[in-house]
Amino acid sequence: MKQNLLDLNYEDLKSFLENRIGIEEKKLNMRMQQIFTAVYQKGLSGFENLTTIPLDLRKKLSENISLNESKIVETHESTDGTLKFLVKLSDGNKVECVFIPEKTRGTICVSSQVGCSLTCTFCRSGTQRLVKNLTASEIVSQIMLVKNKLKDWTDQKIVSNIVFMGQGEPLINMKNLKTAIQILKDKRGLNYGNKKITVSTSGIANKISEAADEIGTYLALSLHAPNDKLREEIMPINKKFKIKDLIQQLKYYTSIVKEPIFLEYVMLKGVNDTEECAKQLVKLMAQFPSKVNLIEFNSWPGVKFEPTERKNIEKFSKYIQDKGYMSFIRRSRGDDVLAACGQLRTESEKKSKPN
Ligand code: SAH
């Protein structure tokens, strides 16, 4: 079996080239630079095109290392320009990723698992059974494939930001997430800074300190309710990790990473959009640096929630701002092609039907 290059961070690729390909030590740094630049900055499609290295080495690399095993098999374009890609992995599983163009940036939303083990009641991905954690290469390849599609191989990055807000819970796939982020951040390669990457979690409290120490990007918490009772009703994961635990961990995160936490809050009509909720939310925000993103609820077939009316979202937002905290209303993108937050879903079925 060939080694997938996108599974190896810089150091691991270096030792692979030395020990398995037999590149001599004095040429190793040069070869590494040639390969990393060609793959991650120029979008090299195959080693046969890497003409800066000798032919016999090119051959050996082709025989032993694969570059990208995933494929885009479908593309859907929203009327707002958002692109949703269906990506087929080498094992036949499929995941979705989304590219969201904006005036000053282009954001890719990537998946971290096939399916999801959580069952957040408002999220369509939650109706899909967890099949597996994505490998590092399956995560990184989503970015590589979209960059390829958009011909994004110059210094002016079209894909300027990466958010782990697709299918799956990234912090449940910690090991591969860490490798993937090392690759994404590597200055010799894709070169995405800490402030260009956001990891979003439903609140896997016991993984947050590790993320602070070893990931270091922006962190978003899918909060969605300001008290345990309500949060438990809409997000079963809250039975395991309470808001108090989360606050403690987020204090640690912000002490290490020194950036505010983004609190994601999807506005569900009559559920979490009352003034009492806003009041509780503000109390929570007082405990660690944070900003709240109010998200319009995106509907999907079979869901029981309705979106809060715009004027009530604005009222909720103003309440938070008047208390001196930062609140933004996030416009929904791509919902006509089910590409918006919480609408991604591929094929695996949950045993029990969603209600
Ligand atoms: N599991 C991680 C990563 C997914 S991020 C997490 O929960 O953070 C996807 C974001 O979209 C989360 O904030 C999620 O709560 C939100 N979301 C889910 N369903 C939604 C819906 N129907 N409308 C709007 N946002 C939704």
PDB file of all heavy atoms in Angstrom, residues 30-31 33-35 38 47-55 57-58:
ATOM      1  N   MET A  30      16.580  19.757   1.086  1.00  0.00           N
ATOM      2  CA  MET A  30      16.278  20.292  -0.233  1.00  0.00           C
ATOM      3  C   MET A  30      15.086  19.557  -0.865  1.00  0.00           C
ATOM      4  O   MET A  30      14.155  20.161  -1.383  1.00  0.00           O
ATOM      5  CB  MET A  30      17.502  20.147  -1.131  1.00  0.00           C
ATOM      6  CG  MET A  30      17.266  20.602  -2.546  1.00  0.00           C
ATOM      7  SD  MET A  30      18.724  20.428  -3.586  1.00  0.00           S
ATOM      8  CE  MET A  30      18.818  18.661  -3.806  1.00  0.00           C
ATOM      9  N   ARG A  31      15.111  18.228  -0.764  1.00  0.00           N
ATOM     10  CA  ARG A  31      14.006  17.438  -1.338  1.00  0.00           C
ATOM     11  C   ARG A  31      12.687  17.744  -0.638  1.00  0.00           C
ATOM     12  O   ARG A  31      11.636  17.854  -1.269  1.00  0.00           O
ATOM     13  CB  ARG A  31      14.309  15.938  -1.225  1.00  0.00           C
ATOM     14  CG  ARG A  31      15.509  15.481  -2.034  1.00  0.00           C
ATOM     15  CD  ARG A  31      15.250  15.576  -3.530  1.00  0.00           C
ATOM     16  NE  ARG A  31      16.404  15.154  -4.296  1.00  0.00           N
ATOM     17  CZ  ARG A  31      16.965  15.864  -5.277  1.00  0.00           C
ATOM     18  NH1 ARG A  31      16.462  17.031  -5.637  1.00  0.00           N
ATOM     19  NH2 ARG A  31      18.006  15.401  -5.911  1.00  0.00           N
ATOM     20  N   GLN A  33      11.839  20.488   0.796  1.00  0.00           N
ATOM     21  CA  GLN A  33      11.361  21.802   0.362  1.00  0.00           C
ATOM     22  C   GLN A  33      10.737  21.714  -1.027  1.00  0.00           C
ATOM     23  O   GLN A  33       9.669  22.259  -1.287  1.00  0.00           O
ATOM     24  CB  GLN A  33      12.511  22.799   0.375  1.00  0.00           C
ATOM     25  CG  GLN A  33      12.031  24.233   0.388  1.00  0.00           C
ATOM     26  CD  GLN A  33      13.033  25.168  -0.237  1.00  0.00           C
ATOM     27  OE1 GLN A  33      14.211  24.827  -0.405  1.00  0.00           O
ATOM     28  NE2 GLN A  33      12.581  26.338  -0.603  1.00  0.00           N
ATOM     29  N   GLN A  34      11.403  20.964  -1.920  1.00  0.00           N
ATOM     30  CA  GLN A  34      10.860  20.835  -3.277  1.00  0.00           C
ATOM     31  C   GLN A  34       9.483  20.182  -3.261  1.00  0.00           C
ATOM     32  O   GLN A  34       8.555  20.616  -3.934  1.00  0.00           O
ATOM     33  CB  GLN A  34      11.822  19.994  -4.132  1.00  0.00           C
ATOM     34  CG  GLN A  34      13.093  20.749  -4.480  1.00  0.00           C
ATOM     35  CD  GLN A  34      14.150  19.828  -5.090  1.00  0.00           C
ATOM     36  OE1 GLN A  34      14.323  18.684  -4.653  1.00  0.00           O
ATOM     37  NE2 GLN A  34      14.872  20.320  -6.085  1.00  0.00           N
ATOM     38  N   ILE A  35       9.369  19.143  -2.456  1.00  0.00           N
ATOM     39  CA  ILE A  35       8.101  18.398  -2.439  1.00  0.00           C
ATOM     40  C   ILE A  35       6.999  19.197  -1.735  1.00  0.00           C
ATOM     41  O   ILE A  35       5.890  19.346  -2.253  1.00  0.00           O
ATOM     42  CB  ILE A  35       8.298  17.015  -1.769  1.00  0.00           C
ATOM     43  CG1 ILE A  35       9.234  16.147  -2.635  1.00  0.00           C
ATOM     44  CG2 ILE A  35       6.964  16.317  -1.550  1.00  0.00           C
ATOM     45  CD1 ILE A  35       9.630  14.833  -1.999  1.00  0.00           C
ATOM     46  N   ALA A  38       5.907  22.098  -3.887  1.00  0.00           N
ATOM     47  CA  ALA A  38       5.185  21.665  -5.086  1.00  0.00           C
ATOM     48  C   ALA A  38       3.778  21.177  -4.729  1.00  0.00           C
ATOM     49  O   ALA A  38       2.793  21.529  -5.386  1.00  0.00           O
ATOM     50  CB  ALA A  38       5.956  20.556  -5.795  1.00  0.00           C
ATOM     51  N   PHE A  47       3.820  13.024  -9.004  1.00  0.00           N
ATOM     52  CA  PHE A  47       5.274  13.222  -8.919  1.00  0.00           C
ATOM     53  C   PHE A  47       5.942  13.263 -10.299  1.00  0.00           C
ATOM     54  O   PHE A  47       7.021  13.820 -10.452  1.00  0.00           O
ATOM     55  CB  PHE A  47       5.913  12.139  -8.057  1.00  0.00           C
ATOM     56  CG  PHE A  47       5.575  12.295  -6.598  1.00  0.00           C
ATOM     57  CD1 PHE A  47       4.725  11.404  -5.969  1.00  0.00           C
ATOM     58  CD2 PHE A  47       6.106  13.347  -5.864  1.00  0.00           C
ATOM     59  CE1 PHE A  47       4.410  11.564  -4.623  1.00  0.00           C
ATOM     60  CE2 PHE A  47       5.797  13.518  -4.524  1.00  0.00           C
ATOM     61  CZ  PHE A  47       4.937  12.618  -3.905  1.00  0.00           C
ATOM     62  N   GLU A  48       5.280  12.669 -11.306  1.00  0.00           N
ATOM     63  CA  GLU A  48       5.895  12.695 -12.635  1.00  0.00           C
ATOM     64  C   GLU A  48       6.072  14.133 -13.134  1.00  0.00           C
ATOM     65  O   GLU A  48       6.918  14.421 -13.975  1.00  0.00           O
ATOM     66  CB  GLU A  48       5.092  11.826 -13.628  1.00  0.00           C
ATOM     67  CG  GLU A  48       3.643  12.222 -13.911  1.00  0.00           C
ATOM     68  CD  GLU A  48       2.656  11.810 -12.804  1.00  0.00           C
ATOM     69  OE1 GLU A  48       3.088  11.279 -11.772  1.00  0.00           O
ATOM     70  OE2 GLU A  48       1.442  12.041 -12.989  1.00  0.00           O
ATOM     71  N   ASN A  49       5.256  15.055 -12.564  1.00  0.00           N
ATOM     72  CA  ASN A  49       5.387  16.463 -12.978  1.00  0.00           C
ATOM     73  C   ASN A  49       6.387  17.257 -12.154  1.00  0.00           C
ATOM     74  O   ASN A  49       6.574  18.451 -12.374  1.00  0.00           O
ATOM     75  CB  ASN A  49       4.030  17.165 -12.873  1.00  0.00           C
ATOM     76  CG  ASN A  49       2.971  16.468 -13.707  1.00  0.00           C
ATOM     77  OD1 ASN A  49       3.276  15.910 -14.745  1.00  0.00           O
ATOM     78  ND2 ASN A  49       1.736  16.466 -13.235  1.00  0.00           N
ATOM     79  N   LEU A  50       7.014  16.601 -11.196  1.00  0.00           N
ATOM     80  CA  LEU A  50       7.947  17.321 -10.312  1.00  0.00           C
ATOM     81  C   LEU A  50       9.334  17.327 -10.963  1.00  0.00           C
ATOM     82  O   LEU A  50      10.250  16.606 -10.573  1.00  0.00           O
ATOM     83  CB  LEU A  50       7.970  16.645  -8.941  1.00  0.00           C
ATOM     84  CG  LEU A  50       8.719  17.334  -7.800  1.00  0.00           C
ATOM     85  CD1 LEU A  50       8.295  18.782  -7.658  1.00  0.00           C
ATOM     86  CD2 LEU A  50       8.486  16.601  -6.494  1.00  0.00           C
ATOM     87  N   THR A  51       9.463  18.178 -11.965  1.00  0.00           N
ATOM     88  CA  THR A  51      10.640  18.080 -12.836  1.00  0.00           C
ATOM     89  C   THR A  51      11.917  18.613 -12.203  1.00  0.00           C
ATOM     90  O   THR A  51      12.991  18.490 -12.785  1.00  0.00           O
ATOM     91  CB  THR A  51      10.383  18.822 -14.164  1.00  0.00           C
ATOM     92  OG1 THR A  51       9.859  20.111 -13.833  1.00  0.00           O
ATOM     93  CG2 THR A  51       9.383  18.086 -15.018  1.00  0.00           C
ATOM     94  N   THR A  52      11.808  19.220 -11.010  1.00  0.00           N
ATOM     95  CA  THR A  52      13.030  19.709 -10.361  1.00  0.00           C
ATOM     96  C   THR A  52      13.822  18.582  -9.704  1.00  0.00           C
ATOM     97  O   THR A  52      14.919  18.805  -9.215  1.00  0.00           O
ATOM     98  CB  THR A  52      12.702  20.771  -9.281  1.00  0.00           C
ATOM     99  OG1 THR A  52      11.677  20.236  -8.432  1.00  0.00           O
ATOM    100  CG2 THR A  52      12.229  22.071  -9.884  1.00  0.00           C
ATOM    101  N   ILE A  53      13.261  17.384  -9.668  1.00  0.00           N
ATOM    102  CA  ILE A  53      14.025  16.283  -9.064  1.00  0.00           C
ATOM    103  C   ILE A  53      14.318  15.197 -10.110  1.00  0.00           C
ATOM    104  O   ILE A  53      13.608  15.078 -11.106  1.00  0.00           O
ATOM    105  CB  ILE A  53      13.307  15.686  -7.836  1.00  0.00           C
ATOM    106  CG1 ILE A  53      11.957  15.079  -8.220  1.00  0.00           C
ATOM    107  CG2 ILE A  53      13.115  16.700  -6.732  1.00  0.00           C
ATOM    108  CD1 ILE A  53      11.349  14.274  -7.097  1.00  0.00           C
ATOM    109  N   PRO A  54      15.370  14.417  -9.888  1.00  0.00           N
ATOM    110  CA  PRO A  54      15.788  13.422 -10.886  1.00  0.00           C
ATOM    111  C   PRO A  54      14.693  12.387 -11.189  1.00  0.00           C
ATOM    112  O   PRO A  54      13.889  12.057 -10.316  1.00  0.00           O
ATOM    113  CB  PRO A  54      16.981  12.726 -10.223  1.00  0.00           C
ATOM    114  CG  PRO A  54      17.391  13.590  -9.093  1.00  0.00           C
ATOM    115  CD  PRO A  54      16.233  14.416  -8.700  1.00  0.00           C
ATOM    116  N   LEU A  55      14.736  11.903 -12.410  1.00  0.00           N
ATOM    117  CA  LEU A  55      13.708  10.992 -12.899  1.00  0.00           C
ATOM    118  C   LEU A  55      13.561   9.724 -12.056  1.00  0.00           C
ATOM    119  O   LEU A  55      12.440   9.306 -11.737  1.00  0.00           O
ATOM    120  CB  LEU A  55      14.051  10.626 -14.351  1.00  0.00           C
ATOM    121  CG  LEU A  55      12.934   9.999 -15.173  1.00  0.00           C
ATOM    122  CD1 LEU A  55      11.725  10.920 -15.252  1.00  0.00           C
ATOM    123  CD2 LEU A  55      13.440   9.672 -16.579  1.00  0.00           C
ATOM    124  N   LEU A  57      14.188   9.257  -8.929  1.00  0.00           N
ATOM    125  CA  LEU A  57      13.547   9.554  -7.644  1.00  0.00           C
ATOM    126  C   LEU A  57      12.056   9.826  -7.827  1.00  0.00           C
ATOM    127  O   LEU A  57      11.215   9.368  -7.050  1.00  0.00           O
ATOM    128  CB  LEU A  57      14.231  10.758  -6.964  1.00  0.00           C
ATOM    129  CG  LEU A  57      13.640  11.176  -5.614  1.00  0.00           C
ATOM    130  CD1 LEU A  57      13.653  10.032  -4.607  1.00  0.00           C
ATOM    131  CD2 LEU A  57      14.415  12.369  -5.034  1.00  0.00           C
ATOM    132  N   ARG A  58      11.720  10.537  -8.900  1.00  0.00           N
ATOM    133  CA  ARG A  58      10.306  10.779  -9.209  1.00  0.00           C
ATOM    134  C   ARG A  58       9.560   9.459  -9.288  1.00  0.00           C
ATOM    135  O   ARG A  58       8.463   9.305  -8.766  1.00  0.00           O
ATOM    136  CB  ARG A  58      10.194  11.447 -10.587  1.00  0.00           C
ATOM    137  CG  ARG A  58      10.092  12.948 -10.532  1.00  0.00           C
ATOM    138  CD  ARG A  58       9.886  13.465 -11.934  1.00  0.00           C
ATOM    139  NE  ARG A  58      11.124  14.023 -12.459  1.00  0.00           N
ATOM    140  CZ  ARG A  58      11.310  14.361 -13.730  1.00  0.00           C
ATOM    141  NH1 ARG A  58      10.351  14.184 -14.626  1.00  0.00           N
ATOM    142  NH2 ARG A  58      12.450  14.867 -14.119  1.00  0.00           N
TER     143      ARG A  58
END
